[in-house]
Amino acid sequence: MFVKPNKIIRSFYPSLIWKNKTHKKKIWLTFDDGPNPESTPWILSVLKEQNIKATFFLIGKQVKRFPKLFHKIKEEGHIVGNHSFSHLNGWNTCTNEYIQDVKKCQELMPCNRLFRPPYGKLTPIQIKKLKKKYKIILWDVLTLDYQKDITPKQIKRNTLQNIENGSIIVFHNNKQTKQKLKHILREIIVHIKQEKYDFSITW
């Protein structure tokens, strides 16, 4: 099952961060969407139990709905990033509307300049404008945990077979994915530790 971005696709967007450049055994664990009362507390509990930190790319609407969860993520030492206010698809949204939506989310987390586009979809002009203010983070390991018919076993395989030094791994932080991740997230983290990788939140 394909989970790594095609090199041709990456070559069209070389200014975006698909993977971190390092020769050290480090990976970056990230969670998109949320905060969500169905999934966020559980994810935080697993991270705390395993004594690791992650980066949470959050939707502005959800931050406004669940501010206590937003603050809990930060209080526990994790990094928060902008995932837009309304989870818009950049390919289907005019540039001005898209930029304003990102800005609206940024107002809720002003000390941070990390941005991940929903669906990983941006137009060249959106990239040009956003890069003036944000570090745009994509991924090199997409676990596909959001797919309806994927099994926990497949998610685990997608993750562990594709990580390497500098990998940025994407999971999702919502009710639907929790039902799958609760079976394997802890196992995945333990396995990555056994492979002697460190979990980084330095961008």
Side-chain angles (χ1 to χ4, degrees), residues 33-201:
D33 305 341
N36 187 298
E38 296 284 344
S39 57
T40 305
W42 175 77
I43 291 172
L44 290 175
S45 71
V46 173
L47 298 178
K48 187 173 184 178
E49 170 199 294
Q50 294 298 319
N51 193 31
I52 63 171
K53 305 300 181 186
T55 301
F56 288 76
F57 288 95
L58 303 174
I59 299 170
K61 282 184 176 180
Q62 292 295 102
V63 171
K64 290 198 75 172
R65 287 183 66 193
F66 307 108
K68 290 183 178 179
L69 283 178
F70 170 64
H71 291 297
K72 184 174 176 60
I73 291 170
K74 295 198 298 178
E75 287 167 0
E76 296 197 3
H78 305 288
I79 299 296
V80 295
N82 186 328
H83 199 42
S84 83
F85 189 84
S86 308
H87 207 265
L88 298 176
N89 183 330
W91 291 359
N92 300 331
T93 310
C94 73
T95 295
N96 185 60
E97 180 184 352
Y98 193 85
I99 299 299
Q100 289 303 311
D101 194 74
V102 174
K103 181 180 178 181
K104 189 175 180 181
C105 181
Q106 191 63 29
E107 290 170 353
L108 300 172
M109 50 185 78
C111 296
N112 190 303
R113 289 293 173 181
L114 300 177
F115 173 67
R116 173 172 285 160
Y119 315 104
K121 295 180 177 179
L122 286 172
T123 66
I125 187 64
Q126 289 165 355
I127 291 172
K128 183 177 179 180
K129 288 181 175 293
L130 287 168
K131 275 189 65 63
K132 294 177 181 179
K133 294 185 177 181
Y134 303 95
K135 185 178 288 189
I136 304 176
I137 311 295
L138 290 175
W139 56 79
D140 73 313
V141 179
L142 184 61
T143 63
L144 301 178
D145 58 350
Y146 56 86
Q147 288 193 349
K148 183 177 179 180
D149 297 326
I150 198 167
T151 66
K153 185 177 180 179
Q154 288 173 318
I155 295 170
K156 182 178 178 180
R157 184 172 66 245
N158 288 346
T159 306
L160 298 180
Q161 288 185 352
N162 287 282
I163 60 170
E164 54 191 17
N165 295 355
S167 281
I168 301 172
I169 304 169
V170 181
F171 288 105
H172 288 78
N173 173 14
N174 55 49
K175 181 180 178 179
Q176 291 72 29
T177 55
K178 179 193 172 184
Q179 301 310 308
K180 300 169 186 174
L181 292 184
K182 68 180 183 180
H183 298 289
I184 42 88
L185 180 60
R186 185 177 286 103
E187 292 179 13
I188 289 171
I189 292 171
V190 169
H191 186 94
I192 292 173
K193 282 182 172 181
Q194 290 173 344
E195 294 296 318
K196 306 301 182 183
Y197 285 98
D198 291 326
F199 292 80
S200 179
I201 53 173

